[in-house]
């Protein structure tokens, strides 16, 4: 697909945009990066993400793909010749989607609450966050590169230091 035009509308600290950057890198897809100012959104962003009007947006040959996990699946389907991100087996693929969904539903809210709350409420949230990580560790364990699930988690991993700092705890401990 050498003649493909691929554009990524993105804001550099976005944990969700990082997923698309990693997936594109794994597939060795060349793309144009367009930094977005989230307080002064470009007409291109507003046109390409009519519903949420937020990043990231993957634009492939003039067509937009919104939402990061959907974008990662799209990248995997379009550029099949390199580094599969989702397993070929339907059951394993369903499991990967389940764990990616679990990560988004649990980690985003808990992580945000860690740095927005204080006191006893924060202590309870930290326990829930650690429990979430333990569930993931139990499910994923020492399995080799897990592709789609790793990509869904990597953006959160970059925020672990922030969670630890604001929550005054150690994930490793």
């Amino acid at each position: 697909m050498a003649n493909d035009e691929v554009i990524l509308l993105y804001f550099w600290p976005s944990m969700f945009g990082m997923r698309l950057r990693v997936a594109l890198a794994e597939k060795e897809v060349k793309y144009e990066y367009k930094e977005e100012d989230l307080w002064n959104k470009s007409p291109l962003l507003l046109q390409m993400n009519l519903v949420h009007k937020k990043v990231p947006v993957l634009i492939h040959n003039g067509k937009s793909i919104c939402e990061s996990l959907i974008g990662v699946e799209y990248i995997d389907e379009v550029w099949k010749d390199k580094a599969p991100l989702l397993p070929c087996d339907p059951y394993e693929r369903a499991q990967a989607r389940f764990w990616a969904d679990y990560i988004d539903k649990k980690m985003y809210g808990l992580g945000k609450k860690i740095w927005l709350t204080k006191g006893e409420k924060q202590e309870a949230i930290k326990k829930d966050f650690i429990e979430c990580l333990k569930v993931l560790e139990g499910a994923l364990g020492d399995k080799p590169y897990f592709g789609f699930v790793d990509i869904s988690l990597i953006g959160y991993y970059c925020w672990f230091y922030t969670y630890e700092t604001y929550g005054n705890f150690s994930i490793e401990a």
Side-chain angles (χ1 to χ4, degrees):
M1 301 210 162
N3 295 327
D4 285 345
E5 178 190 43
V6 181
I7 300 170
L8 179 60
L9 303 181
Y10 176 61
F11 181 57
W12 70 267
S14 167
M15 65 176 65
F16 303 109
M18 188 179 300
R19 292 171 171 172
L20 295 172
R21 293 183 72 188
V22 169
L24 289 165
E26 284 293 312
K27 297 289 191 168
E28 299 178 1
V29 175
K30 294 187 184 327
Y31 64 95
E32 180 182 350
Y33 170 82
K34 291 194 177 186
E35 180 81 21
E36 281 292 328
D37 176 353
L38 300 184
W39 293 268
N40 187 23
K41 297 176 181 178
S42 72
L44 182 60
L45 173 59
L46 298 175
Q47 174 190 359
M48 291 294 164
N49 192 341
L50 294 170
V51 176
H52 299 295
K53 298 175 180 31
K54 63 182 183 177
V55 295
V57 176
L58 178 70
I59 304 169
H60 180 219
N61 292 331
K63 298 176 185 172
S64 64
I65 298 91
C66 303
E67 299 299 320
S68 63
L69 289 177
I70 294 168
V72 171
E73 286 190 57
Y74 180 86
I75 290 166
D76 196 40
E77 290 175 18
V78 172
W79 292 279
K80 292 179 183 209
D81 58 326
K82 291 189 180 160
L85 305 175
L86 279 156
C88 295
D89 178 74
Y91 176 77
E92 290 178 12
R93 194 168 47 249
Q95 290 300 303
R97 287 184 180 122
F98 171 83
W99 288 112
D101 185 61
Y102 175 85
I103 289 165
D104 274 357
K105 286 183 177 164
K106 296 292 276 186
M107 295 196 76
Y108 181 77
L110 291 171
K112 187 174 180 181
K113 288 177 185 175
I114 286 172
W115 59 272
L116 290 177
T117 60
K118 300 280 183 223
E120 289 180 29
K121 190 174 184 178
Q122 187 187 60
E123 291 302 315
I125 293 165
K126 288 189 304 191
K127 286 179 184 175
D128 289 347
F129 184 79
I130 294 298
E131 185 58 34
C132 175
L133 290 175
K134 286 180 179 179
V135 167
L136 280 170
E137 185 177 39
L140 306 178
D142 293 331
K143 293 180 182 170
Y145 187 74
F146 205 64
F148 188 68
V149 177
D150 286 330
I151 289 173
S152 67
L153 184 58
I154 196 161
Y156 292 98
Y157 177 78
C158 296
W159 282 83
F160 283 5
Y161 178 75
T162 302
Y163 302 153
E164 290 176 321
T165 301
Y166 279 86
N168 194 27
F169 73 108
S170 167
I171 291 172
E172 184 178 359

